[in-house]
Structures are given as C-alpha cells and as structure tokens.
Amino acid sequence: MPEPFSVLAEPARRRILDLLLKRPRLVGELTDALGISQPGTSKHLRVLREAGLVTVRRDGQRRWYELRAEPLTELDAWLTPYRWMWADRFDALERQLESE
Amino acid sequence: MPEPFSVLAEPARRRILDLLLKRPRLVGELTDALGISQPGTSKHLRVLREAGLVTVRRDGQRRWYELRAEPLTELDAWLTPYRWMWADRFDALERQLESE
DNA sequence: CCAGCATATGCCCTTGCAGTTATATAGCTG
DNA sequence: CAGCTATATAACTGCAAGGGCATATGCTGG
C-alpha cells in the first residue's frame, strides 16, 4: 500500500477525490472532467484503489468509484504538530525574500 | 513556487521538516540524520526553500535551516472537506439516527 | 595566505511515472 | 450471435527527479 503523500502528489488524483466528495462517479464522468484519456483515468483510479482511497462498486459494465477518506488520517496526523505554527509568521518569509 | 503536495511526496523532505520541528538545524546534522550524501541534503533543502517551507540563517560558513509551516495551510485547507468523514463520523451517525 | 571545513552547484546516470495508442475483457442490445 | 459500450491492461515513450561524485564557493584559524 503506497503512501497517501505520494499518491496525492498528482493533481489529477486530488481532482478525482474532490469530484468523489460530492457523489460516486463513473470512469467516463471522471475522464471527461479530467480531460485526459480513459486509460489514463483508469490508471489513476488503480493507484487510488491500491492506496485505499477509493472503492469500486460494479454495476453491469459500469464501475462506480466512491471515496474512502480514511487513509487521509495519516496526512492529517502528520500535519498535527505543525498546525499551531501558522498564525502570523510572514516575517520570516519577508526576511528571506529580501536577502535574495 | 512548487506545490507543497509534491514537495512532501519525498520521505526525506518530510523527515527534514520533522527534525526542524524541534529546533533549527545545520546541513551537516540533517545529512547525518538522513543517511544520504551532503549534496543530496542540500538539494532537498533547496526544494523546501523554494516551496517556502524552510528559511536559512547564515552564521559564518554554517547555515541554520528553520521551519516555516505556513505553506502547509494549503494541505490543511485541501484536507478540510474530507475531515468530517472520519472525525465527525459519530456525530453524523447520531444525527442520522435521531432523524429517523 | 594556506589549509581545512561547511555548504552549494554541475554533471551524469538511472529509475519511475504519467501520458499515449492499441488491444483485451466483459456486459448489453438488437 | 454481432456489434456496441464501458473499463482495464499492455507496451511504449518522454521527461523529471533523486542519487552519487566531483568541484566550486566562501569562511575560518593558524
């Protein structure tokens, strides 16, 4: 099972998850929305499936892909210790930009 | 400025951030901790710097790298609409049960 | 000013991955 | 069954990225 981090590095895959947020989708719908080829979509879906981020429901010759958000908890957990930091720390960035 | 998502896809870079969580570090320290070559470390640090995730403070021939967590807000924001699916799972279940 | 240390950059090699087209598989319909 | 539709897999290609070594840069101590 690959890491959610690397799986989500692909914009297309984040896009898919965003689409599944509203409701399950067919491969064809996703293909249209992404603007890539159908095999391309199927490959992304495979990666998402192997990461446990989507599940498939067969419906005749169609496949309904639906979201399974649970692996995202790993991301959320990693993020936790950083979360307190982003209040008002623009000063550091300014220093950096000025030094270049 | 690259996306934090792809920057964090690299385990070594997440590792660096985790180390910087406690205190600023020198390149040498990070190199030892990561078990890769010094140039390798410097390259990861460059990526992190360009993504705004670290800042450098010069101190003679040394460089103190310190964490700048603000770009992680993008990750956090993306995660937000998914969070209810696991965190508020029981709340949702309760609401559903009550409405029946 | 020279030797040595800390860090950055250039170059090369290799691997992995996203994207494509072509084809396979399986269900549906007439 | 024939042919169409929906999806998956295979084979190939191009490119980016990570890793290493060698070298440049810049500071420091003697």
Side-chain angles (χ1 to χ4, degrees), chain A residues 49 57-58 60 99-100:
Chain A
R49 209 184 327 128
R57 188 168 49 85
R58 306 187 54 155
S99 72
E100 287 175 355

Side-chain angles (χ1 to χ4, degrees), chain B residues 10-81:
Chain B
E10 256 299 310
R13 290 196 283 261
R14 293 200 300 278
R15 195 88 195 293
I16 289 177
L17 294 187
D18 288 341
L19 287 164
L20 296 184
L21 205 44
K22 189 166 185 189
R23 57 175 178 79
R25 309 269 183 174
L26 298 173
V27 179
E29 296 181 68
L30 296 171
T31 299
D32 294 345
L34 296 179
I36 62 178
S37 67
Q38 173 268 313
T41 306
S42 281
K43 281 190 198 170
H44 284 307
L45 287 170
R46 182 197 242 275
V47 174
L48 289 167
R49 209 185 324 130
E50 287 171 351
L53 281 161
V54 299
T55 56
V56 207
R57 188 168 49 85
R58 309 186 52 156
D59 169 26
Q61 55 186 334
R62 306 171 172 183
R63 313 281 163 105
W64 293 98
Y65 278 85
E66 45 192 298
L67 182 59
R68 184 173 163 268
E70 194 260 332
L72 296 178
T73 52
E74 184 178 332
L75 242 178
D76 196 56
W78 182 85
L79 217 50
T80 298

Side-chain angles (χ1 to χ4, degrees), chain A residues 26-28 38-39 42 46 61 63 65:
Chain A
L26 297 172
V27 180
Q38 173 267 311
S42 281
R46 181 196 243 275
Q61 55 186 335
R63 314 280 163 106
Y65 278 84

Side-chain angles (χ1 to χ4, degrees), chain A residues 12-99:
Chain A
R13 290 197 282 262
R14 293 200 299 277
R15 194 89 192 293
I16 290 177
L17 294 187
D18 287 342
L19 288 163
L20 296 184
L21 206 44
K22 190 166 185 188
R23 57 175 179 80
R25 310 270 181 172
L26 297 172
V27 180
E29 296 181 68
L30 295 171
T31 299
D32 294 345
L34 296 178
I36 62 178
S37 66
Q38 173 267 311
T41 306
S42 281
K43 276 164 97 176
H44 283 306
L45 287 170
R46 181 196 243 275
V47 173
L48 289 167
R49 209 184 327 128
E50 287 172 350
L53 281 162
V54 299
T55 56
V56 207
R57 188 168 49 85
R58 306 187 54 155
D59 170 26
Q61 55 186 335
R62 304 171 175 182
R63 314 280 163 106
W64 292 99
Y65 278 84
E66 43 193 297
L67 182 59
R68 184 172 163 271
E70 193 259 329
L72 295 178
T73 52
E74 183 177 333
L75 241 179
D76 197 54
W78 182 84
L79 217 50
T80 299
Y82 297 90
R83 214 169 266 126
W84 68 274
M85 297 189 68
W86 57 70
D88 53 357
R89 307 205 21 97
F90 286 90
D91 43 329
L93 176 63
E94 281 170 16
R95 257 184 280 119
Q96 155 111 8
L97 291 178
E98 281 166 15
S99 72

